[in-house]
Amino acid sequence: MRRFRRKYYDVFSHFYDAIIALHSRDRRAYLRRFLLKKAGVKEDTRLLDLCTGTGAVPLAAAEIISEKGLIVGVDFSCGMLKQAVRKAGERKHPRLFFVLADVGELPFPRATFEVVTCSHAMYELDPETRDRALEEVKRVLAPGGCFAMMEHCEPKNPFVRLLYRLRLASMGSPENRAFARDERPFLKRHFREVKRLLSPTGGSKLLLAYV
Ligand SMILES: C[S@@+](CC[C@H](N)C(=O)[O-])C[C@H]1O[C@@H](n2cnc3c(N)ncnc32)[C@H](O)[C@@H]1O
């Protein structure tokens, strides 16, 4: 199953940015900046982005974090990371890296990062991997660190809402659907404090969790 999902993302990586651009236009860049601002990212922050895909969050972070900090994007799809590396090549940030790894087993020492982000991906993980990933986030976060994850709210437009519900229904596990509806009870199992904010556009929710 995991191999199949990886292959699926390898294929999807060729169209991913084009599809996102079709339905989100410049809102995507705006939301990344909102995520990074609320997570408290500064010039010297050490940031890890989980399920980084084609690198949207690390590339937005590279506009804030200088060579005093560190930016790492992790994904298990080679295809997605190839796109991320290609885009990062144009940016030439000295402390921006992409690592091929499963989020359930992060190859970093304890307390390496001040901020861990994850955008539009946590709800797709199978429940066991998600639990392991959240434990890993806690391990790699420095004391007082912040885990910031962004997800879609249920769309208001009836047609888009139908597509969103079909997508959730296709995810099989009832736990995944419960997670997508309200992430807070799941995050509270792992973190000391959890806050939920809505994006100014109203279409996305931001969860901030602290160790
Ligand atoms: C919907 S994309 C989101 C990409 C990116 N965060 C964004 O906002 O554009 C989900 C990503 O999660 C990655 N992924 C899924 N399961 C994973 C796992 N167990 N470990 C690492 N990456 C995973 C996929 O390869 C894919 O790139």
Side-chain angles (χ1 to χ4, degrees), residues 24-90:
S24 85
R25 294 184 204 95
D26 58 339
R27 256 184 305 144
R28 191 184 192 210
Y30 175 82
L31 286 174
R32 305 294 177 239
R33 285 197 289 271
F34 176 72
L35 165 76
L36 296 168
K37 185 175 171 203
K38 294 294 174 190
V41 170
K42 301 192 294 285
E43 196 196 358
D44 58 352
T45 298
R46 285 170 287 145
L47 176 140
L48 171 67
D49 183 48
L50 304 183
C51 299
T52 199
T54 60
V57 173
L59 290 168
E63 287 167 13
I64 306 170
I65 299 173
S66 73
E67 69 285 350
K68 294 182 195 156
L70 173 68
I71 310 166
V72 181
V74 164
D75 203 285
F76 73 170
S77 155
C78 256
M80 286 287 194
L81 287 188
K82 271 187 197 153
Q83 301 291 340
V85 167
R86 179 183 56 77
K87 285 155 66 182
E90 294 157 12

Side-chain angles (χ1 to χ4, degrees), residues 36-154:
L36 296 168
K37 185 175 171 203
K38 294 294 174 190
V41 170
K42 301 192 294 285
E43 196 196 358
D44 58 352
T45 298
R46 285 170 287 145
L47 176 140
L48 171 67
D49 183 48
L50 304 183
C51 299
T52 199
T54 60
V57 173
L59 290 168
E63 287 167 13
I64 306 170
I65 299 173
S66 73
E67 69 285 350
K68 294 182 195 156
L70 173 68
I71 310 166
V72 181
V74 164
D75 203 285
F76 73 170
S77 155
C78 256
M80 286 287 194
L81 287 188
K82 271 187 197 153
Q83 301 291 340
V85 167
R86 179 183 56 77
K87 285 155 66 182
E90 294 157 12
R91 214 55 84 77
K92 296 196 185 352
H93 190 288
R95 299 269 289 162
L96 167 58
F97 305 94
F98 290 98
V99 175
L100 185 68
D102 192 295
V103 291
E105 220 171 320
L106 294 174
F108 310 108
R110 172 173 297 283
T112 305
F113 301 97
E114 282 113 17
V115 173
V116 176
T117 52
C118 185
S119 129
H120 302 106
M122 268 281 153
Y123 77 103
E124 292 190 6
L125 300 178
D126 67 82
E128 199 188 310
T129 305
R130 184 165 48 238
D131 259 353
R132 278 212 314 273
L134 292 173
E135 278 305 300
E136 284 290 78
V137 169
K138 248 167 62 179
R139 184 180 65 76
V140 302
L141 268 178
C146 172
F147 173 50
M149 57 169 274
M150 183 166 266
E151 295 293 352
H152 296 293
C153 294
E154 184 159 90

